[in-house]
């Protein structure tokens, strides 16, 4: 084993980097990307400086792995910004507190309103068609409503 370590070449590091990147493609979730890139970086260093001792190669590998992962983590944290559309994929939440006319009467606790070109199922107290209702909540795709104050 020790003789192998003394004979490490840039090909060994490039092979390790390639294997790690292949594992990353199969779903490591980003963990092996930076380690694979670090291995390729050590391969480049050993190509340029072939007399680099194996212990220094492993130290460089460890330092580059940690450094690349930490730098990426910091970049991701600073690049994260709040969405300009916080209600995206939360259909119906934009209707909370708004008033609408019942399109179909609420009978047995169910009815329909027309909001933004879409028909919505509503639940609430029985009311005739045309009554004003206010959206007070949401249960999945069904909006909870109450009679609007006149």
């Amino acid at each position: 084993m020790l003789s192998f370590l003394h004979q490490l070449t840039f090909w060994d590091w490039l092979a390790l980097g390639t294997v790690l990147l292949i594992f990353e493609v199969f779903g490591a979730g980003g963990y092996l990307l930076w380690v694979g890139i670090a291995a390729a970086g050590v391969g480049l260093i050993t190509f340029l400086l072939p007399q680099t001792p194996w212990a220094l190669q492993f130290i460089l590998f460890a330092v580059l792995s940690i450094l690349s992962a930490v730098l990426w983590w910091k970049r991701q944290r600073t690049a994260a910004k709040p969405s300009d559309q916080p209600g995206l994929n939360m259909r119906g939440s934009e209707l909370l507190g708004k008033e609408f006319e019942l399109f179909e009467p609420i009978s047995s606790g169910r009815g329909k309103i027309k909001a933004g070109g879409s028909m919505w199922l509503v639940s609430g107290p029985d009311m005739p068609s045309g009554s004003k209702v206010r959206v007070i909540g949401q249960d999945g795709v069904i909006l909870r409503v109450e009679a609007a104050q006149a």
Side-chain angles (χ1 to χ4, degrees):
M1 180 70 174
L2 196 56
S3 64
F4 173 74
L5 293 176
H6 285 294
Q7 296 174 359
L8 276 178
T9 66
F10 69 94
W11 288 114
D12 299 314
W13 288 106
L14 292 179
L16 176 63
T18 302
V19 168
L20 290 171
L21 292 175
I22 288 171
F23 285 152
E24 176 62 37
V25 168
F26 288 114
Y31 297 109
L32 296 178
L33 175 67
W34 303 108
V35 179
I37 290 173
V42 173
L44 179 66
I45 291 170
T46 56
F47 176 75
L48 298 173
L49 303 167
Q51 299 304 322
T52 307
W54 67 269
L56 182 58
Q57 291 177 29
F58 278 95
I59 291 170
L60 284 171
F61 176 63
V63 168
L64 287 176
S65 296
I66 293 169
L67 185 64
S68 62
V70 168
L71 288 175
W72 180 252
W73 179 76
K74 282 188 175 186
R75 186 206 174 277
Q76 287 295 89
R77 300 253 333 194
T78 59
K81 61 178 183 175
S83 174
D84 58 343
Q85 297 177 339
L88 189 63
N89 293 331
M90 294 173 46
R91 254 187 84 114
S93 64
E94 73 274 5
L95 302 176
L96 291 175
K98 294 187 179 174
E99 295 183 3
F100 300 96
E101 248 182 56
L102 280 176
F103 187 76
E104 290 182 8
I106 299 178
S107 62
S108 301
R110 298 278 190 213
K112 289 185 182 178
I113 61 171
K114 190 171 187 177
S118 297
M119 296 296 286
W120 287 84
L121 288 172
V122 296
S123 67
D126 289 355
M127 289 185 259
S129 181
S131 300
K132 288 279 195 181
V133 294
R134 179 183 307 106
V135 178
I136 58 169
Q138 183 176 4
D139 294 321
V141 296
I142 300 173
L143 300 174
R144 285 182 284 130
V145 296
E146 66 182 7
Q149 309 298 345

